[in-house]
Amino acid sequence: MNTEQHDYDVIIVGYGPVGVTAANLLGGMGVRVAVVERDASIHPRARAISTDEETMRIWQAIGLAERLKQDMLAGRPIDFVDTRGRSFLSLAPAPRGNGHPPQLFIYQPATEQVLRDGVGRYPNVKVLLGHDCELVEQDDETVTVTARDLTEGTPRTLRGAYLIAADGGSSPIRTRLGIGFDGRTYHDRWIVIDTKVKRDWDTVDRLRFHCDPARPAVDCPTPLGHHRWEFPVLPGEDEQDLISHDYIWRLLRRYGRTPNEVEILRAVAYSHHVRFASQWRIGRIFLAGDAAHAMPPWIGEGMSSGVRDAGNLCWKLAGVLRGELPADVLDSYEVERKPHVREMTAQAVRFGRIITERRPGLTGLRNVAFRVLMRVPAFRAYMQEAGWFPATSYRKGLLDRTGGSRAVGKQLPQPWVRTEDGDRVRLDDVLASRWTLLHTGPARPWPAWAAGGIGCLQVTPAGSVPAPGTIVDDEDVLIPWMRRHHATVLALRPDVVVYATATGAADLPRPPFVTAPRTPVREQASPPAATTTP
């Protein structure tokens, strides 16, 4: 049997939320991409149930944020309740400045469908569904994948400069490479029950953590008429019994839910993990998402952390492929992302302890302590404003701290701004995933950056008259942020992370370019039309 052979820039193995986000990002940058996915269709079970405002910025960069939000629930309160259903910790998360709601509940099959429809905008992306990745080999210049069509049995050989393994927590590619996946799996198994809402109830739109020492439970709204519950399998119980409809109704009736309110769609048992791949890169192969890390679900950041991986890696791959950035820039992917994922995982573990504590004495102390602390304004603000949430901020990586500002490594807030045409738009839509200089004073030559053809925008105060080469800080966010960080000039990377700064008459550090960056092409593609997903 003859084997077809095709050449690409990047091969993506795995087409879940991480792989499909990477395909959209790279497709919009003009990169030639092949996607290999074993399943012939989207996984029917809603695994992830929420996302956040930073993730929405990445999906905004691919032109899909507003379409995705049509199928999401935003602004829903969160309650931690005791055995009697009384709240001891209640949150309504406040935005952290990224231009989108701080938490959004999703129905994962619908989210993935919109993202896959988005990939259809790019003729430079080839998607091979129903293909098993049987073999991955690499040398100094290429990665070669042998993929077999599971319907016809036909093998294909795909060659690419780089490969992104987004093939899940069990990652066959990670295993074949001999990369360790260190950490632990929690002893408890959990039953996840997905339902279709038939009739609303008073708390249907709330995320409620039932912190009952006898049996904790998660009671979570999901959009498009769905709702989820999660219960642990207790010692001595058979998880197969728990996923039977009779037992599921026993669990749900405890919280007042009957066949009058919901229809059971599916139930499955799973384990919680805390694991990190020992390496996220070997040669030309990069691990992303669950293939690189696994965390418990308590703050809903597993999928979002994988999307952040794609948002960090893809523009660097495109820059290296186009000869704009040196190849060693790719080493910054793990250096930047791994510490952030570790922080996020640590917070998920801490929240899990609050929810799943089963010693009655400690749960009583917990309930009293949080009720008292939530009356303290500083603590309440810390919780409501998500001071505990590890926002994107890199200490090491593709950064130049010569300017001395604390802004370096941080992601710039995204307010609404007014352009030279007078249009009011989100900041990232002006920056358009390009290297950009933002400055608050008069323009200066910055010759090393000008030689690279880098865009330069002056930020003017709210109420200013829009003018060529300026953006008006309509919400009075950018100028105060730069002032607090002692910077009058910011050099922004395509992911809106501050690469370098300067203050006053000081010059900017030199850019990292080998050749001048080219303009991305993603703005040429229109987002997919709205579709209805059951």
Side-chain angles (χ1 to χ4, degrees):
M1 183 181 296
N2 293 327
T3 301
E4 297 181 36
Q5 183 166 297
H6 303 274
D7 291 341
Y8 299 92
D9 297 316
V10 177
I11 300 169
I12 301 170
V13 179
Y15 204 40
V18 179
V20 72
T21 298
N24 272 286
L25 287 165
L26 292 170
M29 296 172 192
V31 175
R32 296 173 303 154
V33 177
V35 179
V36 178
E37 166 57 48
R38 180 181 176 83
D39 292 337
S41 58
I42 291 171
H43 198 291
R45 184 167 67 84
R47 292 161 289 179
I49 55 174
S50 71
T51 190
D52 62 49
E53 59 192 277
E54 287 187 5
T55 304
M56 293 309 302
R57 282 184 84 167
I58 295 170
W59 287 338
Q60 179 188 341
I62 58 177
L64 298 178
E66 298 310 308
R67 171 63 192 93
L68 285 163
K69 285 194 286 191
Q70 293 176 24
D71 294 335
M72 296 180 179
L73 295 176
R76 298 308 193 263
I78 303 169
D79 277 337
F80 294 73
V81 302
D82 62 17
T83 305
R84 296 169 61 182
R86 299 172 305 182
S87 174
F88 63 85
L89 176 60
S90 184
L91 303 175
R96 297 184 303 277
N98 289 285
H100 297 281
Q103 184 179 52
L104 304 100
F105 293 104
I106 71 169
Y107 183 62
Q108 186 174 335
T111 297
E112 289 193 40
Q113 186 62 62
V114 174
L115 292 169
R116 289 191 180 192
D117 290 345
V119 172
R121 298 172 292 176
Y122 303 113
N124 48 309
V125 179
K126 175 71 173 178
V127 179
L128 302 172
L129 300 178
H131 281 69
D132 186 29
C133 176
E134 294 185 333
L135 182 65
V136 176
E137 300 174 299
Q138 64 173 320
D139 55 32
D140 291 342
E141 296 183 355
T142 59
V143 181
T144 303
V145 170
T146 301
R148 186 173 299 275
D149 186 324
L150 295 177
T151 300
E152 300 178 358
T154 308
R156 291 175 185 255
T157 298
L158 310 174
R159 294 192 311 182
Y162 297 99
L163 182 144
I164 300 174
D167 53 343
S170 61
S171 182
I173 292 177
R174 185 190 65 232
T175 302
R176 289 172 189 149
L177 291 172
I179 298 174
F181 202 42
D182 304 323
R184 67 190 180 103
T185 296
Y186 284 77
H187 174 74
D188 290 345
R189 298 271 286 172
W190 283 69
I191 303 298
V192 177
I193 303 163
D194 287 319
T195 68
K196 186 78 172 175
V197 176
K198 296 164 66 176
R199 187 174 70 189
D200 286 351
W201 57 95
D202 57 348
T203 58
V204 69
D205 66 339
R206 284 179 173 263
L207 170 58
R208 291 163 66 85
F209 293 108
H210 298 272
C211 304
D212 182 350
R215 190 194 297 268
V218 180
D219 172 359
C220 182
T222 49
L224 303 175
H226 295 85
H227 204 88
R228 170 180 285 186
W229 279 268
E230 300 184 19
F231 300 92
V233 179
L234 301 181
E237 291 182 328
D238 185 334
E239 66 183 46
Q240 292 305 311
D241 291 339
L242 265 67
I243 61 176
S244 68
H245 275 217
D246 286 345
Y247 205 101
I248 289 171
W249 285 122
R250 286 174 57 188
L251 294 171
L252 297 185
R253 281 192 175 97
R254 182 177 179 186
Y255 297 103
R257 306 288 77 80
T258 71
N260 293 326
E261 288 85 30
V262 297
E263 171 191 349
I264 298 169
L265 297 179
R266 59 189 66 84
V268 65
Y270 76 105
S271 298
H272 296 167
H273 308 277
V274 175
R275 295 189 177 275
F276 301 92
S278 57
Q279 295 173 260
W280 292 18
R281 176 188 186 183
I282 287 187
R284 294 177 167 271
I285 300 173
F286 299 83
L287 305 183
D290 289 351
H293 46 80
M295 71 177 70
W298 304 118
I299 59 174
E301 283 295 319
M303 178 197 72
S304 294
S305 291
V307 172
R308 285 182 178 87
D309 294 345
N312 183 285
L313 176 60
C314 287
W315 67 267
K316 295 174 182 175
L317 284 172
V320 170
L321 285 163
R322 292 192 295 239
E324 300 164 3
L325 295 171
D328 61 4
V329 158
L330 299 175
D331 292 332
S332 68
Y333 164 60
E334 180 177 345
V335 169
E336 293 178 354
R337 287 294 305 136
K338 198 169 193 176
H340 185 264
V341 174
R342 285 192 179 276
E343 289 182 47
M344 196 72 76
T345 303
Q347 285 295 1
V349 170
R350 292 185 190 106
F351 268 75
R353 288 176 184 151
I354 295 172
I355 298 160
T356 62
E357 177 57 58
R358 297 185 193 173
R359 289 168 287 185
L362 287 181
T363 59
L365 288 173
R366 172 201 64 197
N367 300 349
V368 171
F370 273 105
R371 286 188 178 112
V372 170
L373 287 169
M374 286 299 284
R375 297 192 188 106
V376 177
F379 182 81
R380 186 171 62 249
Y382 174 79
M383 296 302 294
Q384 295 282 93
E385 296 169 12
W388 50 269
F389 187 90
T392 292
S393 181
Y394 303 137
R395 291 180 287 275
K396 297 179 180 178
L398 183 56
L399 309 166
D400 192 319
R401 298 188 180 276
T402 306
S405 170
R406 293 179 293 108
V408 175
K410 292 185 177 182
Q411 193 171 43
L412 189 67
Q414 179 180 213
W416 289 86
V417 298
R418 204 168 297 278
T419 68
E420 61 183 59
D421 297 324
D423 298 328
R424 194 167 186 265
V425 299
R426 289 189 177 96
L427 174 66
D428 291 4
D429 293 336
V430 178
L431 303 178
S433 302
R434 292 185 280 253
W435 287 86
T436 307
L437 300 184
L438 286 187
H439 61 97
T440 54
R444 294 182 54 220
W446 299 301
W449 291 85
I454 303 306
C456 183
L457 289 171
Q458 181 179 4
V459 185
T460 60
S464 302
V465 177
T470 70
I471 53 173
V472 179
D473 190 7
D474 231 21
E475 295 184 303
D476 198 28
V477 168
L478 296 176
I479 294 174
W481 191 90
M482 293 173 71
R483 189 179 298 125
R484 284 196 306 273
H485 289 86
H486 307 292
T488 55
V489 189
L490 305 177
L492 297 175
R493 309 186 328 184
D495 57 357
V496 207
V497 167
V498 179
Y499 168 79
T501 66
T503 304
D507 199 5
L508 275 170
R510 293 187 62 83
F513 316 131
V514 176
T515 62
R518 281 179 263 166
T519 301
V521 298
R522 68 168 54 93
E523 60 264 31
Q524 299 171 6
S526 300
T531 57
T532 301
T533 302

